Amino acid sequence: MPVLTRLIPSPVVVDIRPGALDDLASVLADERISHSGRLAVAVSGGSGSKLRERVSPSLPGATWYEVGGGTLDDAIRLAGDIKAGHYDAVVGLGGGKIIDCAKFAAARVGLPLVAVPTNLAHDGLCSPVATLDNDAGRGSYGVPNPIAVVIDLDVIREAPARFVRSGIGDAVSNISAIADWELSHRVNGEKIDGLAAAMARQAGEAVLRHPGGIGDNDFLQVLAEALVLSGIAMSVSGDSRPSSGACHEINHAFDLLFPRRAASHGEQCGLGAAFAMYLRGAHEESAFMADVLRRHGLPVLPEEIGFTVDEFVRVVEFAPETRPGRYTILEHLELKTHQIKDLYVDYVKAIGS
Ligand SMILES: [Zn+2]
């Protein structure tokens, strides 16, 4: 009888609640994370100093490193700085750029990473990927999952609302990404990892159907948990498939075609997801998704983030090229320019104003 089930790479501690930062020291003191108390903590130079003031008294054995930005060079420099320190673990305390730099640096020197995100802008906070700017633009680097994730909802509430909005768009877009995965399964026989799909879909549905708003702790709790589960779903499947389909191809196309004008990751992914749901004929789901995104102050039309309809049509046309090999509703339909234009007009009518 087969008795082995698979082991899922996942953090040993997930602590999401208001005030969680006050107990960070006890989380880190876990034998599996830091037995000596020697920690390398990566923070940003600007907003990081307030957090450092608050947290450093409880971490006497920590050395603090200011990280410049979110580039591969920043991450390599950080790895070089912490290499000789004989640390037990690396702590990334800050926004997405800090977490990604810390993830990469920790992986490079073979130390576990504790992620302490200070905003909820996307699902990278607990994913096995570090996104860093490099000479060719932007790269995704495979790294181990964080060993612990601590999210203080009081800190999250202090971050600008646009970060929370971005996280909502990213979480909700899972629903469209899973639909793309299922489409590819039907058409190409691509294998679906049922557990990864379940985790990512439930994360998206929970955020989509939650009646609360960005000012409520219970909503932020669900959103933070959804983003953590999305990250773990990517570890389970071994790629970004559970959380990235046509929605993310559209997002990448915005970034690549209009690097200076691009909106936030989640704004573009949410809009991309609502449109992709319409393209796949899920008109009611598309309209419901658009309603929810609007309720949270997210865009559902390109003009709401400063793009013309023609520019959006270009984005949708270019989107499949951003992710060669990934089969989504866009690759499936192979739309011509005039078809995208017509479908966009129908989409606008369908979601109402
Ligand atoms: Zn995303």
Side-chain angles (χ1 to χ4, degrees), residues 82-169:
I82 62 181
K83 185 167 61 183
H86 302 290
Y87 299 112
D88 296 330
V90 180
V91 181
L93 173 60
K97 286 179 180 174
I98 301 296
I99 303 281
D100 280 351
C101 269
K103 267 185 189 173
F104 184 92
R108 201 165 159 114
V109 297
L111 291 175
L113 172 84
V114 176
V116 190
T118 52
N119 69 58
L120 297 178
H122 56 71
D123 59 21
L125 39 98
C126 190
S127 71
V129 180
T131 305
L132 296 164
D133 292 333
N134 57 28
D135 293 342
R138 185 164 290 175
S140 298
Y141 302 87
V143 294
N145 234 330
I147 194 167
V149 184
V150 175
I151 304 176
D152 187 331
L153 298 182
D154 290 336
V155 173
I156 297 301
R157 289 168 72 106
E158 284 169 25
R162 64 189 156 88
F163 287 126
V164 175
R165 292 200 177 102
S166 178
I168 294 169

Coordinates of all heavy atoms in Angstrom, one line a residue, residues 82-169:
I82 N 26.4 40.0 4.0 CA 26.0 39.2 5.1 C 26.8 37.9 5.1 O 26.8 37.1 6.1 CB 24.5 38.9 5.1 CG1 24.1 38.1 3.8 CG2 23.7 40.2 5.2 CD1 22.6 37.9 3.8
K83 N 27.6 37.6 4.0 CA 28.2 36.3 3.9 C 29.1 35.9 5.1 O 29.1 34.8 5.5 CB 29.1 36.4 2.6 CG 29.7 35.2 2.1 CD 30.2 35.4 0.7 CE 31.2 36.5 0.6 NZ 31.7 36.7 -0.8
A84 N 29.9 36.9 5.6 CA 30.9 36.6 6.6 C 30.3 36.7 8.0 O 31.1 36.5 9.0 CB 32.1 37.5 6.4
G85 N 29.0 37.0 8.1 CA 28.5 37.3 9.5 C 28.1 36.1 10.3 O 27.7 36.3 11.5
H86 N 28.2 34.9 9.9 CA 27.8 33.7 10.7 C 26.4 33.9 11.3 O 26.2 33.7 12.4 CB 28.8 33.4 11.8 CG 30.2 33.2 11.2 ND1 30.5 32.1 10.5 CD2 31.3 34.0 11.3 CE1 31.8 32.2 10.1 NE2 32.3 33.3 10.6
Y87 N 25.5 34.3 10.4 CA 24.1 34.5 10.9 C 23.3 33.1 10.8 O 23.7 32.2 10.1 CB 23.4 35.5 10.0 CG 24.0 36.8 10.1 CD1 24.7 37.4 8.9 CD2 24.0 37.6 11.2 CE1 25.3 38.6 9.0 CE2 24.6 38.9 11.3 CZ 25.3 39.3 10.2 OH 25.9 40.6 10.2
D88 N 22.2 33.1 11.6 CA 21.3 31.9 11.6 C 20.3 32.1 10.4 O 19.8 31.2 9.9 CB 20.5 31.8 12.9 CG 21.4 31.5 14.1 OD1 22.5 30.9 13.9 OD2 21.1 31.9 15.2
A89 N 19.9 33.4 10.2 CA 18.8 33.6 9.3 C 18.9 35.1 8.8 O 19.5 35.9 9.4 CB 17.5 33.4 9.9
V90 N 18.2 35.3 7.7 CA 18.1 36.7 7.1 C 16.6 37.1 7.3 O 15.7 36.3 7.1 CB 18.4 36.7 5.6 CG1 18.2 38.1 5.1 CG2 19.8 36.2 5.4
V91 N 16.4 38.3 7.8 CA 15.0 38.8 7.9 C 14.8 40.0 6.9 O 15.6 40.9 6.9 CB 14.8 39.4 9.4 CG1 13.4 39.9 9.5 CG2 15.1 38.3 10.4
G92 N 13.8 39.8 6.1 CA 13.5 40.9 5.2 C 12.3 41.7 5.8 O 11.2 41.2 5.9
L93 N 12.6 43.0 6.2 CA 11.5 43.8 6.8 C 11.3 45.0 6.0 O 12.0 45.9 5.9 CB 12.1 44.2 8.2 CG 11.3 45.2 9.1 CD1 9.9 44.6 9.4 CD2 12.1 45.4 10.4
G94 N 10.1 45.0 5.2 CA 9.8 46.1 4.4 C 8.9 45.8 3.3 O 8.1 44.8 3.3
G95 N 8.9 46.5 2.2 CA 8.1 46.3 1.1 C 8.6 45.2 0.1 O 9.6 44.6 0.4
G96 N 8.0 45.1 -1.0 CA 8.3 44.0 -2.0 C 9.7 44.0 -2.4 O 10.4 42.9 -2.5
K97 N 10.3 45.2 -2.6 CA 11.7 45.2 -3.1 C 12.7 44.7 -2.0 O 13.6 43.9 -2.3 CB 12.1 46.6 -3.4 CG 11.5 47.1 -4.7 CD 11.9 48.5 -5.1 CE 11.2 49.0 -6.4 NZ 11.4 50.4 -6.6
I98 N 12.4 45.0 -0.8 CA 13.3 44.6 0.3 C 13.1 43.1 0.5 O 14.1 42.3 0.6 CB 12.9 45.3 1.7 CG1 13.0 46.8 1.5 CG2 13.7 44.8 2.8 CD1 14.4 47.3 1.3
I99 N 11.9 42.6 0.5 CA 11.7 41.1 0.6 C 12.4 40.4 -0.5 O 13.0 39.4 -0.3 CB 10.2 40.8 0.6 CG1 9.4 41.6 1.7 CG2 9.9 39.3 0.7 CD1 9.5 41.1 3.1
D100 N 12.2 40.9 -1.7 CA 12.8 40.1 -2.9 C 14.4 40.2 -2.8 O 15.0 39.1 -3.1 CB 12.3 40.7 -4.2 CG 11.0 40.2 -4.6 OD1 10.5 39.3 -3.9 OD2 10.3 40.7 -5.5
C101 N 14.9 41.3 -2.4 CA 16.4 41.3 -2.2 C 16.8 40.4 -1.2 O 17.8 39.6 -1.3 CB 16.8 42.8 -1.8 SG 17.2 43.8 -3.2
A102 N 16.1 40.4 0.0 CA 16.5 39.5 1.1 C 16.3 38.0 0.7 O 17.2 37.2 1.1 CB 15.6 39.9 2.3
K103 N 15.3 37.7 0.0 CA 15.0 36.3 -0.5 C 16.2 35.9 -1.3 O 16.8 34.8 -1.1 CB 13.8 36.3 -1.4 CG 12.5 36.0 -0.8 CD 11.5 35.9 -2.0 CE 10.1 35.8 -1.6 NZ 9.2 35.9 -2.7
F104 N 16.6 36.7 -2.3 CA 17.7 36.3 -3.2 C 19.0 36.2 -2.4 O 19.7 35.2 -2.6 CB 17.8 37.3 -4.3 CG 18.9 37.0 -5.3 CD1 18.5 36.3 -6.5 CD2 20.2 37.4 -5.1 CE1 19.5 36.0 -7.4 CE2 21.2 37.0 -6.1 CZ 20.8 36.4 -7.2
A105 N 19.3 37.2 -1.5 CA 20.6 37.1 -0.8 C 20.6 35.9 0.2 O 21.6 35.3 0.3 CB 20.7 38.4 0.0
A106 N 19.5 35.6 0.8 CA 19.5 34.5 1.7 C 19.7 33.2 1.0 O 20.5 32.3 1.4 CB 18.1 34.4 2.4
A107 N 19.1 33.1 -0.2 CA 19.3 31.9 -1.0 C 20.7 31.7 -1.4 O 21.3 30.7 -1.4 CB 18.4 31.9 -2.2
R108 N 21.4 32.9 -1.8 CA 22.7 32.9 -2.2 C 23.7 32.4 -1.2 O 24.7 31.8 -1.5 CB 23.1 34.2 -2.8 CG 24.2 34.2 -3.7 CD 24.3 35.6 -4.5 NE 25.6 35.8 -5.0 CZ 25.8 35.8 -6.3 NH1 24.9 35.7 -7.2 NH2 27.1 36.1 -6.7
V109 N 23.5 32.8 0.1 CA 24.4 32.4 1.1 C 23.9 31.2 1.9 O 24.5 30.9 3.0 CB 24.7 33.6 2.1 CG1 25.4 34.7 1.3 CG2 23.4 34.1 2.8
G110 N 22.8 30.6 1.5 CA 22.3 29.4 2.1 C 21.7 29.5 3.4 O 21.8 28.6 4.3
L111 N 21.0 30.7 3.7 CA 20.4 30.9 5.0 C 18.9 31.0 4.8 O 18.4 31.3 3.7 CB 20.8 32.2 5.6 CG 22.3 32.3 6.1 CD1 22.6 33.7 6.6 CD2 22.5 31.3 7.2
P112 N 18.1 30.6 5.8 CA 16.7 30.7 5.7 C 16.2 32.2 5.7 O 16.9 33.0 6.3 CB 16.1 30.0 6.9 CG 17.2 29.9 7.9 CD 18.5 30.0 7.1
L113 N 15.1 32.5 5.2 CA 14.6 33.8 5.1 C 13.3 34.0 5.9 O 12.4 33.1 5.8 CB 14.3 34.3 3.7 CG 13.6 35.6 3.7 CD1 14.6 36.8 3.7 CD2 12.7 35.8 2.5
V114 N 13.2 35.0 6.7 CA 12.0 35.3 7.4 C 11.4 36.6 6.7 O 12.1 37.6 6.6 CB 12.2 35.6 8.9 CG1 10.9 36.1 9.6 CG2 12.8 34.4 9.6
A115 N 10.2 36.5 6.2 CA 9.6 37.6 5.5 C 8.7 38.4 6.4 O 7.8 37.8 7.0 CB 8.8 37.1 4.3
V116 N 9.0 39.7 6.6 CA 8.1 40.5 7.4 C 7.7 41.7 6.5 O 8.2 42.8 6.5 CB 8.9 41.0 8.6 CG1 7.9 41.7 9.6 CG2 9.6 39.9 9.3
P117 N 6.7 41.4 5.6 CA 6.2 42.4 4.7 C 5.5 43.6 5.4 O 4.7 43.3 6.3 CB 5.3 41.7 3.7 CG 4.9 40.4 4.4 CD 6.0 40.1 5.4
T118 N 5.7 44.8 4.9 CA 5.0 45.9 5.5 C 3.9 46.4 4.6 O 3.3 47.4 4.9 CB 6.0 47.0 5.8 OG1 6.7 47.3 4.6 CG2 6.9 46.6 6.9
N119 N 3.7 45.8 3.5 CA 2.5 46.1 2.7 C 2.0 44.8 2.0 O 2.7 43.8 2.0 CB 2.7 47.2 1.7 CG 3.7 46.9 0.6 OD1 3.4 45.9 -0.2 ND2 4.8 47.6 0.4
L120 N 0.8 44.9 1.4 CA 0.2 43.7 0.8 C 0.1 43.8 -0.7 O -0.9 43.5 -1.3 CB -1.1 43.4 1.4 CG -1.2 43.1 2.9 CD1 -2.6 42.8 3.3 CD2 -0.3 41.8 3.2
A121 N 1.1 44.4 -1.4 CA 0.9 44.8 -2.8 C 0.8 43.6 -3.8 O 0.3 43.8 -4.9 CB 2.1 45.7 -3.2
H122 N 1.3 42.4 -3.4 CA 1.3 41.3 -4.4 C 1.5 40.0 -3.6 O 1.8 40.0 -2.4 CB 2.2 41.5 -5.5 CG 3.6 41.7 -5.1 ND1 4.4 40.7 -4.6 CD2 4.4 42.8 -5.1 CE1 5.6 41.1 -4.3 NE2 5.6 42.4 -4.6
D123 N 1.4 38.9 -4.4 CA 1.5 37.6 -3.8 C 3.0 37.1 -3.7 O 3.2 35.9 -3.5 CB 0.6 36.6 -4.5 CG 1.0 36.4 -5.9 OD1 2.1 36.7 -6.3 OD2 0.1 35.9 -6.7
G124 N 4.0 38.0 -3.8 CA 5.4 37.5 -3.8 C 5.9 37.4 -2.4 O 7.0 37.0 -2.1
L125 N 5.1 37.8 -1.4 CA 5.6 37.8 0.0 C 6.0 36.5 0.6 O 6.7 36.3 1.5 CB 4.7 38.6 0.9 CG 3.2 38.5 0.8 CD1 2.7 37.5 1.9 CD2 2.6 39.9 1.0
C126 N 5.3 35.4 0.0 CA 5.7 34.1 0.5 C 5.9 33.1 -0.7 O 5.6 31.9 -0.6 CB 4.5 33.6 1.4 SG 5.0 32.1 2.3
S127 N 6.3 33.6 -1.8 CA 6.4 32.8 -3.0 C 7.9 32.3 -3.2 O 8.8 32.9 -2.6 CB 6.0 33.6 -4.2 OG 6.9 34.6 -4.5
P128 N 8.1 31.3 -4.0 CA 9.5 30.8 -4.2 C 10.2 31.6 -5.3 O 11.0 31.0 -6.0 CB 9.3 29.4 -4.5 CG 8.0 29.4 -5.2 CD 7.1 30.4 -4.6
V129 N 9.8 32.9 -5.5 CA 10.4 33.7 -6.6 C 10.8 35.0 -6.0 O 10.2 35.6 -5.2 CB 9.3 33.9 -7.7 CG1 9.9 34.7 -8.8 CG2 8.7 32.6 -8.2
A130 N 12.0 35.5 -6.5 CA 12.5 36.8 -6.2 C 12.4 37.6 -7.5 O 13.1 37.2 -8.5 CB 13.8 36.8 -5.6
T131 N 11.7 38.7 -7.6 CA 11.6 39.5 -8.8 C 12.6 40.7 -8.6 O 12.4 41.5 -7.7 CB 10.2 40.0 -9.0 OG1 9.3 38.9 -9.0 CG2 10.1 40.7 -10.3
L132 N 13.6 40.8 -9.5 CA 14.6 41.8 -9.4 C 14.9 42.4 -10.7 O 14.9 41.7 -11.8 CB 15.9 41.2 -8.8 CG 15.8 40.6 -7.4 CD1 17.0 39.7 -7.1 CD2 15.7 41.7 -6.4
D133 N 15.2 43.7 -10.7 CA 15.5 44.4 -12.0 C 17.0 44.1 -12.3 O 17.9 44.1 -11.4 CB 15.4 45.9 -11.8 CG 14.0 46.4 -11.6 OD1 13.1 45.6 -12.2 OD2 13.7 47.4 -11.0
N134 N 17.2 43.7 -13.6 CA 18.6 43.4 -14.0 C 18.9 44.2 -15.3 O 18.1 45.0 -15.7 CB 18.7 41.9 -14.2 CG 17.7 41.3 -15.2 OD1 17.2 42.0 -16.1 ND2 17.3 40.1 -15.1
D135 N 20.0 43.9 -15.9 CA 20.4 44.7 -17.1 C 19.4 44.5 -18.2 O 19.3 45.4 -19.1 CB 21.8 44.3 -17.5 CG 22.8 44.7 -16.5 OD1 22.5 45.5 -15.7 OD2 24.0 44.1 -16.5
A136 N 18.7 43.4 -18.3 CA 17.8 43.1 -19.4 C 16.4 43.6 -19.1 O 15.5 43.3 -19.9 CB 17.8 41.6 -19.7
G137 N 16.2 44.2 -18.0 CA 14.8 44.6 -17.6 C 14.5 44.1 -16.2 O 14.9 44.6 -15.2
R138 N 13.7 43.0 -16.2 CA 13.3 42.4 -14.9 C 13.4 40.9 -15.0 O 13.0 40.3 -16.0 CB 11.9 42.9 -14.6 CG 11.4 42.5 -13.2 CD 10.2 43.3 -12.8 NE 10.5 44.7 -12.5 CZ 9.6 45.6 -12.2 NH1 8.4 45.3 -12.2 NH2 10.0 46.8 -12.0
G139 N 13.9 40.3 -13.9 CA 14.0 38.8 -14.0 C 13.3 38.2 -12.8 O 13.2 38.8 -11.7
S140 N 12.9 37.0 -12.9 CA 12.3 36.2 -11.8 C 13.3 35.1 -11.5 O 13.7 34.3 -12.3 CB 11.0 35.5 -12.2 OG 10.1 36.6 -12.6
Y141 N 13.7 35.1 -10.2 CA 14.7 34.1 -9.8 C 14.1 33.1 -8.8 O 13.5 33.5 -7.8 CB 15.9 34.9 -9.1 CG 16.6 35.9 -10.1 CD1 16.1 37.2 -10.2 CD2 17.6 35.5 -10.9 CE1 16.6 38.1 -11.1 CE2 18.2 36.4 -11.8 CZ 17.7 37.7 -11.9 OH 18.2 38.6 -12.8
G142 N 14.3 31.9 -9.0 CA 13.8 30.8 -8.1 C 14.6 30.8 -6.8 O 15.8 30.8 -6.9
V143 N 13.9 30.8 -5.7 CA 14.5 30.8 -4.4 C 13.6 29.9 -3.5 O 12.5 29.6 -3.8 CB 14.6 32.2 -3.8 CG1 15.5 33.2 -4.6 CG2 13.2 32.9 -3.6
P144 N 14.2 29.5 -2.3 CA 13.4 28.7 -1.4 C 12.2 29.6 -0.8 O 12.4 30.8 -0.8 CB 14.3 28.3 -0.3 CG 15.7 28.5 -0.9 CD 15.6 29.6 -1.9
N145 N 11.2 28.9 -0.4 CA 10.1 29.6 0.3 C 10.6 30.2 1.6 O 11.5 29.6 2.2 CB 9.0 28.6 0.6 CG 7.6 29.1 0.1 OD1 7.4 30.3 0.0 ND2 6.8 28.1 -0.3
P146 N 10.1 31.3 2.1 CA 10.5 31.8 3.4 C 10.2 30.8 4.5 O 9.3 30.0 4.4 CB 9.6 33.0 3.6 CG 9.2 33.5 2.3 CD 9.1 32.3 1.4
I147 N 11.1 30.8 5.5 CA 10.9 29.8 6.6 C 9.8 30.3 7.6 O 9.2 29.5 8.3 CB 12.2 29.6 7.4 CG1 12.1 28.3 8.3 CG2 12.7 30.8 8.2 CD1 13.4 27.8 8.8
A148 N 9.6 31.6 7.6 CA 8.5 32.2 8.4 C 8.0 33.5 7.8 O 8.7 34.1 7.1 CB 9.0 32.5 9.8
V149 N 6.7 33.7 8.0 CA 6.1 35.0 7.5 C 5.3 35.6 8.6 O 4.5 35.0 9.3 CB 5.1 34.7 6.4 CG1 4.5 35.9 5.8 CG2 5.7 33.8 5.3
V150 N 5.7 36.9 8.9 CA 5.0 37.6 10.0 C 4.4 38.9 9.4 O 5.1 39.7 8.7 CB 6.1 38.0 11.1 CG1 5.4 38.9 12.1 CG2 6.7 36.7 11.7
I151 N 3.1 39.0 9.5 CA 2.4 40.2 8.9 C 1.6 40.9 10.0 O 0.7 40.3 10.5 CB 1.5 39.8 7.7 CG1 2.3 39.0 6.6 CG2 0.9 41.0 7.1 CD1 1.4 38.5 5.5
D152 N 2.1 42.1 10.3 CA 1.4 42.9 11.3 C 0.3 43.8 10.6 O 0.7 44.7 9.9 CB 2.4 43.8 12.0 CG 1.8 44.5 13.2 OD1 0.6 44.8 13.2 OD2 2.5 44.8 14.2
L153 N -0.9 43.5 10.9 CA -2.0 44.2 10.2 C -2.1 45.7 10.5 O -2.5 46.5 9.8 CB -3.4 43.5 10.4 CG -3.5 42.1 9.9 CD1 -4.9 41.5 10.1 CD2 -3.1 42.0 8.4
D154 N -1.6 46.0 11.7 CA -1.5 47.4 12.1 C -0.5 48.2 11.2 O -0.7 49.3 10.8 CB -1.1 47.6 13.6 CG -2.2 47.2 14.5 OD1 -3.4 47.2 14.1 OD2 -1.9 46.8 15.7
V155 N 0.6 47.5 10.9 CA 1.6 48.1 10.0 C 1.1 48.2 8.6 O 1.2 49.2 7.9 CB 2.9 47.2 10.0 CG1 3.9 47.7 9.0 CG2 3.6 47.2 11.4
I156 N 0.3 47.1 8.2 CA -0.3 47.1 6.8 C -1.2 48.3 6.7 O -1.3 49.0 5.6 CB -1.1 45.8 6.6 CG1 -0.1 44.6 6.7 CG2 -1.9 45.8 5.3 CD1 1.0 44.6 5.7
R157 N -2.0 48.6 7.7 CA -3.0 49.7 7.6 C -2.3 51.1 7.5 O -2.9 52.0 7.0 CB -3.8 49.7 8.9 CG -4.8 48.6 9.0 CD -5.4 48.5 10.3 NE -6.3 49.6 10.5 CZ -7.6 49.4 10.5 NH1 -8.2 48.2 10.4 NH2 -8.4 50.4 10.8
E158 N -1.0 51.2 7.9 CA -0.3 52.4 7.8 C 0.2 52.7 6.4 O 0.6 53.8 6.0 CB 0.9 52.5 8.8 CG 0.4 52.7 10.2 CD 1.5 52.5 11.2 OE1 2.7 52.6 10.9 OE2 1.2 52.2 12.4
A159 N 0.3 51.6 5.6 CA 0.9 51.7 4.2 C -0.2 52.4 3.4 O -1.4 52.3 3.7 CB 1.2 50.3 3.7
P160 N 0.2 53.1 2.3 CA -0.8 53.7 1.5 C -1.8 52.7 0.9 O -1.5 51.6 0.7 CB 0.0 54.3 0.3 CG 1.4 54.4 0.9 CD 1.6 53.3 1.9
A161 N -3.1 53.2 0.8 CA -4.2 52.3 0.4 C -3.9 51.6 -1.0 O -4.4 50.5 -1.2 CB -5.5 53.0 0.3
R162 N -3.1 52.3 -1.8 CA -2.9 51.7 -3.2 C -2.2 50.4 -3.1 O -2.3 49.5 -3.9 CB -2.2 52.7 -4.1 CG -0.8 53.0 -3.6 CD -0.2 54.2 -4.4 NE 0.8 54.8 -3.7 CZ 2.1 54.5 -3.7 NH1 2.5 53.5 -4.4 NH2 3.0 55.1 -2.9
F163 N -1.4 50.2 -2.0 CA -0.7 48.9 -1.9 C -1.7 47.7 -1.6 O -1.6 46.6 -2.1 CB 0.3 48.9 -0.7 CG 1.5 49.7 -1.1 CD1 2.0 50.7 -0.3 CD2 2.3 49.4 -2.2 CE1 3.1 51.5 -0.6 CE2 3.4 50.1 -2.5 CZ 3.8 51.2 -1.7
V164 N -2.7 48.0 -0.7 CA -3.7 47.0 -0.4 C -4.5 46.8 -1.7 O -4.8 45.6 -2.0 CB -4.6 47.5 0.8 CG1 -5.7 46.5 1.0 CG2 -3.8 47.7 2.0
R165 N -4.9 47.8 -2.4 CA -5.7 47.6 -3.6 C -4.9 46.7 -4.6 O -5.5 45.9 -5.2 CB -5.9 49.0 -4.3 CG -6.8 49.9 -3.5 CD -7.5 51.0 -4.3 NE -8.4 51.7 -3.5 CZ -8.1 52.9 -3.0 NH1 -7.0 53.5 -3.2 NH2 -9.0 53.5 -2.2
S166 N -3.6 47.0 -4.7 CA -2.8 46.1 -5.6 C -2.9 44.7 -5.2 O -3.1 43.8 -6.1 CB -1.4 46.6 -5.6 OG -0.6 45.9 -6.5
G167 N -2.8 44.4 -3.9 CA -2.9 43.0 -3.5 C -4.2 42.4 -3.8 O -4.3 41.2 -4.1
I168 N -5.3 43.2 -3.7 CA -6.6 42.7 -4.0 C -6.7 42.2 -5.5 O -7.1 41.1 -5.8 CB -7.7 43.8 -3.8 CG1 -7.8 44.1 -2.3 CG2 -9.1 43.3 -4.3 CD1 -8.6 45.3 -2.0
G169 N -6.2 43.1 -6.4 CA -6.2 42.7 -7.8 C -5.4 41.5 -8.1 O -5.8 40.6 -8.9

